[in-house]
Amino acid sequence: LIAIFLVTLSCATLPSNNIPHEIDTYSSDGMIVGTMSFKNEKPIFNGYLYFYTGENIDRFYGQKAVRVNPAQTIKMKFRPDFFDQEKAVYFFSIKERYGKYQFSIFRLFSNTSYSNSLLDIPIEIDFNIEKGKVKYFGELYFDYRNRTLTFSDQSSRDIPLLQSKYPHLKIEEE
């Protein structure tokens, strides 16, 4: 049991593992795809979560999140989908019913053998999901040394890589 527990804890969370390989164009669901990136140094947090909410999310169940957990076997390190110079870059997707949504909180989670801590940073980044479409969102970049969170268009880098990995998705730019 201890070995299974340790293996489970050591696994890095890759949001790209949850990206559907196709979408029903006649559905009332749609999807955004994009990237989350971090300065490629030793991670100091055990979890990075982008919480989002929207008009089609039941308030009873609260917000939903896109999450990255760095690999944590012996020491923490990023194991992203790819590296771009000083960035560790992860693909992500959000598939929901069409409507308006917003990233509202960026959470940093730290877990040591003695304590746990959370730091919630309020953010307001709006996005729309359209019926039966896959739209490119952009890149969310967090540099923890400078404590900066930026949002930018990296479509010229991201869309060809996404289309290579997910050839059945027709990704449109905003």
Side-chain angles (χ1 to χ4, degrees):
L1 286 176
I2 291 173
I4 293 171
F5 180 72
L6 290 174
V7 168
T8 303
L9 280 179
S10 69
C11 295
T13 302
L14 270 177
S16 60
N17 290 342
N18 298 323
I19 295 177
H21 287 263
E22 56 189 13
I23 188 166
D24 180 359
T25 56
Y26 298 105
S27 171
S28 58
D29 289 346
M31 186 165 63
I32 63 165
V33 292
T35 54
M36 297 183 296
S37 62
F38 307 92
K39 189 160 183 70
N40 186 28
E41 296 179 354
K42 182 183 180 295
I44 58 173
F45 299 101
N46 300 90
Y48 302 83
L49 296 93
Y50 285 95
F51 285 93
Y52 67 94
T53 190
E55 61 190 10
N56 293 315
I57 295 177
D58 187 338
R59 297 287 180 214
F60 178 76
Y61 294 107
Q63 296 180 329
K64 296 186 177 185
V66 179
R67 146 184 232 136
V68 168
N69 289 348
Q72 302 174 39
T73 308
I74 296 171
K75 63 180 184 177
M76 286 196 300
K77 65 181 178 177
F78 289 117
R79 290 205 176 136
D81 290 295
F82 66 96
F83 292 99
D84 182 11
Q85 298 174 20
E86 84 285 349
K87 296 178 183 179
V89 186
Y90 295 82
F91 293 129
F92 77 92
S93 72
I94 294 175
K95 183 180 175 193
E96 294 284 353
R97 183 174 166 76
Y98 72 92
K100 297 177 185 210
Y101 295 85
Q102 181 183 70
F103 283 108
S104 54
I105 295 173
F106 178 54
R107 176 173 289 167
L108 303 167
F109 171 72
S110 183
N111 181 22
T112 66
S113 58
Y114 303 107
S115 67
N116 295 330
S117 64
L118 295 174
L119 173 62
D120 285 349
I121 301 168
I123 57 176
E124 292 182 3
I125 302 173
D126 297 325
F127 61 94
N128 293 315
I129 293 182
E130 297 180 28
K131 286 183 180 182
K133 293 186 178 181
V134 179
K135 302 290 264 184
Y136 174 72
F137 170 75
E139 177 188 72
L140 295 165
Y141 173 63
F142 180 63
D143 179 349
Y144 59 84
R145 283 192 182 258
N146 297 316
R147 301 284 193 246
T148 57
L149 177 66
T150 56
F151 173 63
S152 65
D153 179 0
Q154 299 292 324
S155 58
S156 61
R157 176 198 69 191
D158 294 343
I159 291 178
L161 293 171
L162 282 160
Q163 288 179 325
S164 166
K165 190 168 183 171
Y166 307 98
H168 298 294
L169 291 180
K170 182 181 176 216
I171 301 169
E172 301 177 18
E173 291 188 52
E174 257 323 294

